[in-house]
Amino acid sequence: MAEGSPKPLDGALREELSRIEAAGLLRKLKALGGPQGPRVEVDGRAVANFSSNDYLGLAAHPALKEAAMEEWERGGFGAGASRLVCGTLRGHSDLEEAIADFKGTGAALCFGSGYAAAVGTIAALCGKDDVVVLDKLSHACLVDGARLSGAAIRVFPHNDTAKLDSHLRWAAKAKPGCRVLVVAESIYSMDGDAAPLREIVEIKERHGAWLFLDEAHAVGVVGRGGRGLADAAGVADRIEIQMGTLGKALGAHGAYIAGSSVLRDFLVNRARSFVFSTAPPPPVAAAARKAVEIVRSAEGDGLRGRLESNVARFCQTLGISRPAAAIVPLLAGPEAAAVEAGARLLEAGFFVPAIRYPTVARGAARLRVTLTATQSAEAIDALGVALGELADLLPGARGAASQS
Ligand SMILES: *Cc1c(COP(=O)(O)O)cnc(C)c1O
């Protein structure tokens, strides 16, 4: 090939990227300055951050930093190997014990990320003769885990328990005796609403299915001491597999599966994203353990109280009803409208990037506002005013328009 002619790979990818761009779906990374927090630096300018999952403001909490530094001093940074080889260090086992105690389960197992936890666990539990039944709005990692498992996949419309029930009846008839795994989130990441958890638990029990519950946006935020929606709904001990992430409200990184110690032993042997991956750095595990301690303490209650009043304040400003946790989706519809709304907010000093396909359905683009414990009342009120001026782009924020 001649010097300087386009490389076949780059040429093909450039073509595909221009198709993505033409559809209004091109995404770019934006590097922020400063730590994660209520104000971040975007393109050299400080703006109010309303897009973080750091719901309690723990990502930059001094106690997490101190715990990480202490572990770093004691045991170095990298784990050096997978957990099964020589990478299980005290930081990991301490964290897993703390999570099992927090969640009230027999055991817990940590993974490098929520994505890895979901994919590895679902694919370990089910195979080609089994059935995985998912809520339509399930996070991509849950869908990918189901696909990787090779199981037959059935999807029910979001929170439609009648359809869930009929899928489970189908499974019993079409594949008698097979494993059936129901997969749902407790607080949905892009819609912010809650699963009808008691009903789901009753249905899966009636059919002898298992439930995998992803509490990524609930742990730390919802339930007594931030234990999640399963605890709040009083059904935690009836859910076989409880997943949560350590990188959102817990301000660290990684994820856990909490359940029986048999489940843990099984995943240690069979979850490929666990077996074939280097263990997380012990200082990260130490920070996560400190976060668990804070979340379940009086300080955690205080932070949840602040978060709760920030959510209430924001919803009141917009004249909309309160979400189940701390996520408020403002629907734009067309991708271009969501992008335009996000750009105008950034100009006005608010960071709320547009959420588009494939994160949400085509034509259901939106701004996803997240509230945190550390945002100021002034910033929340100012965002309400700024949103009021975007009513043409955001029919989902109509309450704001009628007030301005
Ligand atoms: C963020 C998220 C995950 C993935 O967790 P990571 O630790 O970020 O990989 C899984 N499920 C849901 C619902 C999420 O929002």
Side-chain angles (χ1 to χ4, degrees):
M1 190 176 32
E3 262 311 298
S5 65
K7 293 188 183 68
L9 173 76
D10 285 1
L13 300 188
R14 218 172 275 127
E15 224 171 81
E16 199 167 331
L17 281 170
S18 26
R19 278 200 299 274
I20 295 172
E21 185 163 22
L25 296 173
L26 189 70
R27 306 201 209 184
K28 287 197 168 143
L29 297 172
K30 213 177 238 320
L32 309 189
Q36 185 61 245
R39 290 184 73 72
V40 287
E41 201 188 290
V42 178
D43 301 330
R45 197 163 59 103
V47 295
N49 186 6
F50 282 91
S51 58
S52 176
N53 300 317
D54 179 26
Y55 298 114
L56 301 179
L58 295 185
H61 194 293
L64 267 68
K65 181 174 168 185
E66 194 183 321
M69 295 297 284
E70 240 172 59
E71 185 69 31
W72 190 339
E73 291 293 337
R74 183 169 43 223
F77 191 74
S82 71
R83 292 282 303 275
L84 279 165
V85 175
C86 61
T88 296
L89 300 166
R90 216 183 64 200
H92 301 117
S93 15
D94 286 353
L95 171 61
E96 286 167 350
E97 274 169 36
I99 290 169
D101 186 60
F102 173 55
K103 295 291 292 178
T105 52
L109 185 68
C110 289
F111 289 72
S113 71
Y115 191 98
V119 166
T121 301
I122 295 171
L125 290 171
C126 293
K128 63 177 176 38
D129 298 324
D130 303 321
V131 178
V132 179
V133 185
L134 303 114
D135 186 285
K136 171 79 179 150
L137 294 188
S138 294
H139 190 271
C141 65
L142 305 170
V143 176
D144 292 355
R147 286 184 181 153
L148 188 63
S149 76
I153 296 176
R154 288 292 179 277
V155 174
F156 56 99
H158 181 49
N159 282 348
D160 184 341
T161 49
K163 193 66 193 175
L164 164 64
D165 191 68
S166 82
H167 281 323
L168 295 184
R169 264 185 281 125
W170 167 83
K173 210 182 274 171
K175 295 174 167 265
C178 77
R179 295 176 174 185
V180 182
L181 181 67
V182 176
V183 175
E185 291 176 34
S186 63
I187 300 294
Y188 280 83
S189 60
M190 296 299 140
D191 287 64
D193 58 342
L197 199 50
R198 288 196 72 87
E199 219 183 316
I200 290 175
V201 166
E202 272 151 27
I203 291 168
K204 69 95 185 166
E205 282 179 353
R206 205 179 317 132
H207 294 278
W210 303 329
L211 178 58
F212 180 110
L213 184 69
D214 180 349
E215 297 245 43
H217 296 276
V219 70
V221 176
V222 174
R224 289 174 310 144
R227 283 173 179 77
L229 188 68
D231 180 83
V235 291
D237 57 346
R238 293 160 69 186
I239 299 173
E240 289 82 0
I241 307 113
Q242 300 186 59
M243 170 185 154
T245 59
L246 304 169
K248 289 172 177 158
L250 282 105
H253 189 76
Y256 64 82
I257 298 286
S260 68
S261 58
V262 180
L263 173 66
R264 182 179 191 275
D265 291 346
F266 178 78
L267 293 177
V268 164
N269 283 274
R270 282 286 181 266
R272 293 170 64 87
S273 62
F274 177 87
V275 175
F276 298 105
S277 192
T278 299
V284 173
R289 186 164 81 109
K290 178 55 76 176
V292 170
E293 194 183 307
I294 293 173
V295 155
R296 60 190 299 186
S297 73
E299 182 183 355
D301 287 335
L303 291 170
R304 274 184 295 279
R306 300 243 296 275
L307 174 59
E308 175 101 23
S309 52
N310 281 351
V311 170
R313 187 177 190 105
F314 179 68
C315 292
Q316 198 172 7
T317 314
L318 260 65
I320 56 176
S321 53
R322 298 259 291 276
I327 301 162
V328 181
L330 301 172
L331 205 71
E335 282 70 28
V339 172
E340 170 73 15
R344 275 165 54 182
L345 281 182
L346 185 58
E347 230 164 83
F350 304 94
F351 194 49
V352 194
I355 305 284
R356 287 170 280 171
Y357 176 85
T359 307
V360 293
R362 283 182 201 274
R366 66 198 63 186
L367 295 184
R368 171 184 180 268
V369 173
T370 53
L371 284 305
T372 69
T374 50
Q375 288 152 346
S376 69
E378 296 71 40
I380 292 168
D381 294 349
L383 176 61
V385 172
L387 284 168
E389 282 156 21
L390 297 178
D392 51 324
L393 296 170
L394 296 172
R398 200 168 286 120
S402 64
Q403 289 201 350
S404 63

